[in-house]
């Protein structure tokens, strides 16, 4: 297997973080285990989490790490409050280092999807298997976009899972067909991640 080339602008990874990303306030738990090299920027990690979880990158987001907020800094992002630090050029190694054990990732400030991200391990880089982002495990589908947060998601599951429910047909149409809350395709996620970064 050939090794991946790094451009002169790209910093080679020093370690790989094994991250457990869990969606808060949803039961049963929706989670993904990711391997991400420490040379990724927070903006790139955002795209990895979006892909792994199954979100569509249609809303604003932010990271809360060691008491600081990081987000895409533009006019639209600043509409939800005082601007955080720009995530664009901040690498994971700079904000996670060897001390940070967990951090928060929030997506869609309306639905308020909060994710707890635990750093389970810091691994050595092996260029042939883990020098790029990948999802190594996970369970359950993330909720549909714009479903109304955790409460709206629970209502959605009740309606779409019960053909006798008065909202069943409406939810089916709104979702564009059936919804499997247990659905998660690891191979599909990794195929997209390979093209992403």
């Amino acid at each position: 297997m050939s090794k991946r080339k790094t451009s002169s602008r790209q910093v080679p990874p020093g370690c790989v973080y094994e991250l457990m990303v869990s969606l808060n306030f949803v039961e049963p738990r929706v989670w993904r285990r990711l391997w991400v090299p420490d040379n990724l920027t927070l903006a790139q990690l955002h795209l990895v989490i979006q892909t792994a979880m199954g979100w569509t990158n249609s809303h604003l987001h932010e990271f809360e790490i060691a008491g600081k907020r990081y987000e895409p800094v533009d006019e639209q992002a600043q509409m939800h409050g005082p601007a955080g630090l720009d995530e664009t050029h901040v690498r994971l190694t700079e904000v996670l280092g060897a001390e940070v054990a967990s951090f928060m990732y929030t997506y869609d400030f309306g639905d308020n999807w909060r994710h707890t991200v635990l750093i389970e391990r810091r691994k050595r880089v092996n260029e042939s298997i883990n020098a790029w982002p990948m999802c190594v495990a996970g369970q359950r589908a993330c909720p549909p976009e714009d479903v109304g947060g955790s409460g709206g998601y629970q209502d959605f599951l009740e309606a779409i899972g019960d053909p006798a429910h008065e909202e069943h047909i409406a939810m089916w149409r709104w979702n564009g067909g059936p919804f499997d809350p247990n659905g998660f395709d690891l191979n599909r996620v990794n195929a997209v991640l390979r093209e992403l970064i």
Side-chain angles (χ1 to χ4, degrees):
M1 179 180 262
S2 64
K3 291 185 178 181
R4 290 179 175 239
K5 295 179 181 177
T6 57
S7 72
S8 58
R9 291 182 358 207
Q10 185 177 3
V11 177
C15 78
V16 173
Y17 293 108
E18 183 174 285
L19 306 178
M20 170 61 76
V21 181
S22 299
L23 184 58
N24 298 356
F25 315 119
V26 172
E27 291 294 333
R29 191 167 68 117
V30 177
W31 62 272
R32 306 290 184 262
R33 178 169 285 122
L34 306 174
W35 288 355
V36 293
D38 68 352
N39 64 345
L40 290 188
T41 65
L42 286 174
Q44 290 171 317
L45 179 61
H46 157 69
L47 295 175
V48 169
I49 293 173
Q50 286 284 302
T51 301
M53 292 300 292
W55 299 119
T56 62
N57 197 19
S58 305
H59 300 279
L60 298 174
H61 69 276
E62 73 177 11
F63 292 93
E64 297 171 50
I65 304 172
K68 295 180 181 176
R69 286 181 35 241
Y70 300 86
E71 61 187 4
V73 176
D74 59 27
E75 281 184 31
Q76 191 176 19
Q78 293 176 18
M79 289 179 0
H80 77 274
L85 301 168
D86 188 355
E87 68 179 21
T88 309
H89 302 292
V90 178
R91 297 193 185 277
L92 298 185
T93 188
E94 298 168 32
V95 291
L96 300 184
E99 297 80 33
V100 174
S102 68
F103 59 94
M104 297 298 296
Y105 168 77
T106 303
Y107 171 64
D108 184 354
F109 299 116
D111 281 2
N112 195 34
W113 296 116
R114 292 182 57 82
H115 306 69
T116 298
V117 184
L118 299 177
I119 301 171
E120 293 186 318
R121 290 193 293 170
R122 288 162 172 85
K123 303 163 64 74
R124 291 180 57 192
V125 177
N126 180 331
E127 285 287 334
S128 63
I129 62 168
N130 67 4
W132 59 92
M134 71 178 74
C135 184
V136 295
Q139 284 190 320
R140 297 180 192 78
C142 75
E145 297 277 352
D146 303 316
V147 76
S150 56
Y153 181 50
Q154 188 58 46
D155 294 342
F156 168 79
L157 289 178
E158 289 173 11
I160 205 162
D162 179 4
H165 194 285
E166 64 184 35
E167 294 291 316
H168 178 75
I169 297 299
M171 289 297 101
W172 180 285
R173 286 184 181 143
W174 176 81
N175 191 57
F179 178 81
D180 178 7
N182 294 313
F184 171 65
D185 187 341
L186 182 65
N187 293 332
R188 182 182 166 283
V189 166
N190 281 306
V192 176
L193 283 176
R194 278 193 295 274
E195 302 300 319
L196 185 65
I197 304 296

